[in-house]
Amino acid sequence: MSPTNPMKSRKQRIDDLAATAGGVAVADAGAIDESPGVSLIASAWARLRRNPVFLLGLGITSVFVVLAVISPWIAPHDPGIGYLIDKVRQQSNPIPGPEPGFPLGADNKGRDFFSRLLVGSRQTLIVGVLATLIGLAGGLVLGILAGAFGGWVDSLVMRVVDVLLSIPSLLLAFSIAALASRPSQWTVILAISIVQIPIFARLLRGSMLAQRSSDHVLAARALGVRPNAVVFRHMLPNSLGPVIVQATLVLATSIIDAAALSFLGLGNPDDRQPEWGQMLGASQQFIYDHPHLAFYPALCIIVVALGFTLMGESLREALDPKSRR
């Protein structure tokens, strides 16, 4: 038997120890994990469905949207007809109280207050959604121009955005709505949407500028991909995440701004189509003796705006790694 080489035996022991360290063979160290990956949306949803704040906001907004859609069919009475007008007494009983079939009583024109609250949710939803969509569309156009072209186009667009952002949003909305010859629901929608355009434009422009220097965009340009394809297939889809989250938050501010404009009489003058801000404004002359006329519309506005805000903030935390707790 040949004598054992002590150096070889030591090396062999080290190799054996490394091969079995932690119960994992060295041969498996370079193995590729073939398990399917998880997309950003799937990963965000996995966190959101365990987030009680998001679930609360989603529940509030879901109830609001469902009620707004079906309110004309579930409202017990027509909100424009004064069923209790014969009980309205300007001196002794200007606001009829609750009675069977009218759980919240009526307003100063004898119209069912509960039905007006239900149907008013539809008008509030229409104004908030349309104003947000129009503002989002305008912001996308300006943001794409500034982020894709850069140079003097970026400077020109951003100076216009800076001017709009320098004016308080509610004051700007008031000014735009007041310029209309006849106030209507569309003047409120346009006024609020114009206020939201610079917010979306600046946010999208910043996201697209960050994408311009990313590896996949540089690789696409190096391969000779056309500029339009680089912008709309590589830069824009990867820049929309923060904009979509912002749209959820803007819905809350749009509802509040719409209520403020209607409260001041700049909204739809036809009170046969109820809207929460309009109802809140009409209640001011009776607020001391009948505070419920202001309490319920204000509560609805606050709860709905809170629901959209909770949902938007949760989406921001789930999609933005820097904001995750």
Side-chain angles (χ1 to χ4, degrees):
M1 175 179 285
S2 60
T4 304
N5 187 345
M7 295 301 296
K8 182 177 180 180
S9 128
R10 181 181 301 175
K11 181 178 182 301
Q12 186 67 39
R13 289 198 302 268
I14 293 174
D15 291 341
D16 293 341
L17 180 62
T20 58
V24 180
V26 174
D28 297 333
I32 298 176
D33 186 7
E34 297 182 357
S35 59
V38 179
S39 66
L40 177 62
I41 297 178
S43 176
W45 173 244
R47 289 188 295 272
L48 287 174
R49 63 186 179 184
R50 296 192 301 267
N51 187 346
V53 175
F54 172 77
L55 295 178
L56 176 60
L58 180 63
I60 294 173
T61 54
S62 299
V63 171
F64 166 64
V65 171
V66 171
L67 287 179
V69 171
I70 66 174
S71 59
W73 294 279
I74 65 173
H77 302 285
D78 189 324
I81 299 178
Y83 294 95
L84 301 181
I85 189 64
D86 57 332
K87 298 184 179 182
V88 175
R89 303 289 184 270
Q90 295 299 328
Q91 299 299 328
S92 60
N93 187 33
I95 305 295
E99 61 179 70
F102 299 86
L104 297 180
D107 62 2
N108 61 317
K109 296 183 179 180
R111 298 170 296 195
D112 181 29
F113 194 70
F114 179 69
S115 298
R116 291 179 63 80
L117 276 178
L118 282 178
V119 178
S121 63
R122 166 173 281 200
Q123 301 300 319
T124 301
L125 177 65
I126 290 174
V127 172
V129 171
L130 288 181
T132 302
L133 290 178
I134 296 174
L136 176 61
L140 287 178
V141 172
L142 295 181
I144 291 173
L145 289 175
F149 292 98
W152 68 269
V153 177
D154 181 21
S155 299
L156 177 62
V157 171
M158 284 300 103
R159 297 298 77 77
V160 175
V161 169
D162 290 340
V163 170
L164 293 176
L165 289 176
S166 66
I167 306 173
S169 60
L170 202 54
L171 178 61
L172 180 59
F174 288 160
S175 303
I176 296 172
L179 291 176
S181 58
R182 294 182 58 187
S184 66
Q185 189 178 41
W186 279 106
T187 60
V188 174
I189 293 174
L190 291 177
I192 297 174
S193 62
I194 292 174
V195 170
Q196 308 299 347
I197 286 176
I199 299 175
F200 289 117
R202 178 175 287 276
L203 183 60
L204 181 61
R205 179 250 187 187
S207 298
M208 293 193 68
L209 288 180
Q211 290 294 322
R212 288 179 65 181
S213 58
S214 61
D215 294 338
H216 66 94
V217 173
L218 295 177
R221 288 175 175 167
L223 292 173
V225 179
R226 291 180 301 175
N228 291 340
V230 171
V231 172
F232 292 103
R233 295 178 58 185
H234 296 275
M235 294 174 61
L236 183 59
N238 291 285
S239 304
L240 289 178
V243 179
I244 294 174
V245 173
Q246 183 65 30
T248 308
L249 297 171
V250 164
L251 264 172
T253 58
S254 297
I255 290 173
I256 295 175
D257 290 347
L261 292 176
S262 298
F263 176 84
L264 295 175
L266 298 176
N268 188 2
D270 186 5
D271 61 357
R272 292 175 299 178
Q273 297 179 353
E275 193 268 333
W276 289 342
Q278 177 195 80
M279 296 172 63
L280 191 60
S283 67
Q284 296 307 298
Q285 57 180 322
F286 309 105
I287 193 169
Y288 293 108
D289 297 326
H290 305 277
H292 70 280
L293 295 179
F295 175 78
Y296 289 112
L299 180 64
C300 291
I301 294 170
I302 293 171
V303 171
V304 170
L306 176 64
F308 280 112
T309 302
L310 293 178
M311 191 168 63
E313 290 294 341
S314 300
L315 283 172
R316 186 198 300 274
E317 293 178 1
L319 293 174
D320 186 2
K322 296 180 181 179
S323 300
R324 294 176 193 165
R325 297 175 181 176

